[in-house]
Amino acid sequence: MAKERSRKALLELLQRPGNAACADCAASDPDWASHSLGIFICLNCSGIHRNIPQVSKVKSVRLDDWDDAQVEFMASNGNNVAKAKYESKMPPFYYKPTFLDCPLLREQWIRAKYERKEFIHSEKQEPYSAGYREGFLWKRGRDNGQFLSRKFVLSEREGALKYFNKNDAKEPKAIMKIEHLNATFQPAKIGNPHGLQITYLKDNSTRNIFVYHEDGKEIVDWFNAIRAARFHYLQVAFPGASDIDLVPKLSRNYLKEGYMEKTGPKQTEGFKKRWFTMDDRRLMYFKDPLDAFARGEVFIGSKENSYKVLEGLPPSTQGNHWQHGITIVTPDRKFLFACETEDDQLEWITTFQKVISRPMLPQEYAVEAHFKHKP
């Protein structure tokens, strides 16, 4: 009877505001709880909590036995109370992961909140909020694909992230302006659970670099330091903008990536298999997913500006091995692509339609003009 009563009380607590989604990743219908922190969490996050037993004690809401004191503790706390405590001083630029993000981001977010208490004690945020950071990261060589240790320096005052090929080098190998910097975790593509892809613009073309650090906290601190630098840059660039306006601009996850076939501008050349990345309005294609530079980039504007996406290929098209075609119409020309499966085709068309249905921003017209003058 007592066991049934406890379960019934816990299921009622799950209906309270804030408790219907995981406290850490916002996944719906959490089935687990930390009875030492007083929060309801999902199965995936419960696994991370189990790795910090000195802070968090985990139980299943439905399967485990609960005593009255534990149920009362859950009743007097809950997700909203914990959030007010453990996220009270969270800086607006800090990336708050969801269930869609990679395990590393979710683990470090949970450790930062409850184990290190970084958002209760703001002095613990120094590694990513000081405006300056330097250290060594493993960087993938552009030509040979080997990862080598390189010194990186991020300076908000200089408005740049730099890296050096030798420890004592006076001149950096690359200077990446904070204005055009992006960072996104890509563990599967890079082949490392801590793999981070950093991109910047060089002569108005996208340049990729791939890095990792053995220590999960280190690489996530780098990621949030880049976001902090972008945040402070944008605060100066757009003085009237609110945090809510700026935060989505700090870093971008790609809208979609994957293989398609493409043909050249004459549409008589053979179709070649390429790796495609949709980054905001830039559709880039690469021979290999880990190439430093794209083989080409296509600007995808809005429907008001005569951009559209069509299912299928023109009837005269030849040379495609894959059968599921897509035609992108721009003011200048048509781009022809082919996908291996119907599901791939549908996903790409949906992605392109989302971009095309979004009205263009004033600054995007300048980007479009650059594309038109590209050789």
Side-chain angles (χ1 to χ4, degrees):
M1 276 301 290
K3 189 174 178 180
E4 268 308 307
R5 195 175 68 240
S6 294
R7 184 179 295 125
K8 188 165 179 285
L10 288 166
L11 292 174
E12 282 173 10
L13 289 177
L14 279 171
Q15 305 308 310
R16 281 192 189 174
N19 292 347
C22 173
D24 295 325
C25 76
S28 56
D29 304 321
D31 245 354
W32 292 76
S34 168
H35 60 87
S36 54
L37 295 170
I39 56 172
F40 292 95
I41 52 178
C42 70
L43 175 63
N44 284 337
C45 290
S46 75
I48 298 168
H49 279 260
R50 281 183 199 283
N51 290 333
I52 42 171
Q54 68 281 16
V55 174
S56 188
K57 302 274 191 289
V58 176
K59 278 189 175 188
S60 165
V61 169
R62 294 167 196 276
L63 304 176
D64 287 325
D65 291 339
W66 290 72
D67 62 39
D68 290 345
Q70 289 167 344
V71 175
E72 280 171 27
F73 184 75
M74 295 301 296
S76 59
N77 286 277
N79 292 2
N80 286 348
V81 171
K83 180 178 176 166
K85 176 182 177 181
Y86 290 103
E87 298 178 30
S88 63
K89 294 181 181 172
M90 189 183 111
F93 59 77
Y94 194 96
Y95 187 79
K96 188 173 179 174
T98 72
F99 57 92
L100 297 171
D101 282 297
C102 65
L104 171 72
L105 274 171
R106 287 184 283 117
E107 182 196 351
Q108 288 304 318
W109 162 239
I110 287 167
R111 287 185 180 275
K113 261 205 292 191
Y114 308 117
E115 185 181 38
R116 301 192 290 266
K117 298 187 172 66
E118 287 177 20
F119 313 124
I120 294 175
H121 308 291
S122 44
E123 67 275 8
K124 294 190 174 182
Q125 298 166 18
E126 183 81 9
Y128 45 81
S129 62
Y132 181 88
R133 184 178 173 87
E134 68 171 72
F136 289 88
L137 296 172
W138 292 98
K139 177 191 166 292
R140 187 180 190 273
R142 191 174 97 183
D143 301 320
N144 60 11
Q146 277 186 310
F147 281 89
L148 297 168
S149 180
R150 294 288 180 252
K151 182 183 174 184
F152 281 77
V153 176
L154 175 69
S155 168
E156 285 187 19
R157 191 172 53 79
E158 292 179 32
L161 172 67
K162 301 183 283 193
Y163 79 87
F164 299 81
N165 265 1
K166 295 193 171 61
N167 294 354
D168 55 357
K170 295 282 183 284
E171 294 301 316
K173 179 78 171 112
I175 299 173
M176 305 164 243
K177 287 186 177 171
I178 286 168
E179 179 185 358
H180 301 302
L181 206 53
N182 187 41
T184 175
F185 279 96
Q186 294 276 17
K189 190 158 90 174
I190 295 170
N192 185 292
H194 299 172
L196 185 70
Q197 180 172 349
I198 297 172
T199 63
Y200 63 102
L201 287 184
K202 186 174 180 181
D203 305 324
N204 202 48
S205 289
T206 305
R207 164 82 158 97
N208 296 322
I209 61 171
F210 302 96
V211 297
Y212 73 87
H213 195 286
E214 300 94 330
D215 185 312
K217 179 184 184 300
E218 277 287 309
I219 196 71
V220 173
D221 283 351
W222 270 105
F223 175 63
N224 280 302
I226 289 169
R227 285 176 58 87
R230 294 258 315 139
F231 182 63
H232 298 136
Y233 163 78
L234 290 168
Q235 281 182 315
V236 174
F238 303 100
S242 67
D243 290 358
I244 293 164
D245 294 329
L246 297 181
V247 166
K249 298 181 169 69
L250 302 186
S251 62
R252 304 180 302 280
N253 291 329
Y254 298 134
L255 302 178
K256 183 164 170 59
E257 289 195 290
Y259 283 106
M260 289 193 287
E261 291 182 334
K262 69 166 287 293
T263 185
K266 297 193 182 84
Q267 297 170 10
T268 53
E269 305 96 319
F271 275 73
K272 293 192 174 101
K273 182 179 166 186
R274 294 287 181 253
W275 176 266
F276 283 83
T277 298
M278 188 77 229
D279 180 12
D280 200 21
R281 289 194 185 275
R282 286 174 184 260
L283 177 65
M284 300 172 277
Y285 54 91
F286 304 84
K287 195 169 182 183
D288 182 274
L290 296 175
D291 282 348
F293 288 101
R295 289 293 173 102
E297 303 189 31
V298 180
F299 182 85
I300 311 280
S302 66
K303 59 176 185 278
E304 293 88 353
N305 297 77
S306 306
Y307 289 82
K308 60 183 173 199
V309 58
L310 307 171
E311 186 182 327
L313 298 169
S316 59
T317 309
Q318 294 178 326
N320 50 308
H321 306 101
W322 291 348
Q323 298 310 306
H324 305 281
I326 300 173
T327 302
I328 291 184
V329 182
T330 77
D332 296 332
R333 59 169 278 203
K334 289 178 179 173
F335 291 88
L336 311 185
F337 308 112
C339 302
E340 188 173 15
T341 68
E342 201 173 333
D343 285 351
D344 267 356
Q345 179 195 37
L346 183 63
E347 282 179 24
W348 276 111
I349 287 174
T350 305
T351 303
F352 293 142
Q353 280 172 338
K354 274 186 194 159
V355 174
I356 286 169
S357 64
R358 206 173 73 218
M360 274 167 63
L361 301 168
Q363 59 267 36
E364 290 175 333
Y365 283 97
V367 177
E368 182 188 39
H370 274 296
F371 272 80
K372 286 185 173 169
H373 294 117
K374 271 189 160 184

